[in-house]
Amino acid sequence: MAESTIEQHPLAGWDKPELDLSNADWKSSSRGRGDVQIAFVEGFIAMRNSVRPQSPSLIFTPAEWGAFVSGAREGEFDLT
């Protein structure tokens, strides 16, 4: 398989540190459904695709995570 040649650049206004996720304690949902895992690292919440753990992770502040979870519970991201 060819190595990725995609370069990643910091986003303008990005105020989150580069987190070392190599030893993160990744958790799946309590029901074991879905492909998402989260880890709490250095005061931030990281989220990744468990099927492709080498792919980039999303990093949330606690306030962002709270807004995301609230929106998900309210069906804000329901695509049906």
Side-chain angles (χ1 to χ4, degrees):
M1 180 177 277
E3 271 191 51
S4 174
T5 58
I6 297 172
E7 287 186 46
Q8 293 187 4
H9 302 282
L11 300 174
W14 185 255
D15 59 350
K16 297 176 185 121
E18 283 286 325
L19 298 176
D20 179 4
L21 302 176
S22 60
N23 292 317
D25 184 19
W26 293 99
K27 306 282 185 191
S28 295
S29 89
S30 60
R31 295 185 186 118
R33 291 189 267 167
D35 296 333
V36 174
Q37 294 178 316
I38 63 168
F40 298 93
V41 179
E42 299 179 32
F44 292 90
I45 298 89
M47 183 168 62
R48 73 178 183 183
N49 180 339
S50 64
V51 176
R52 298 185 64 206
Q54 72 283 3
S55 62
S57 297
L58 298 174
I59 307 298
F60 296 90
T61 65
E64 291 168 335
W65 182 252
F68 172 74
V69 170
S70 292
R73 285 182 178 150
E74 294 170 7
E76 183 176 338
F77 311 113
D78 192 355
L79 301 177
T80 59

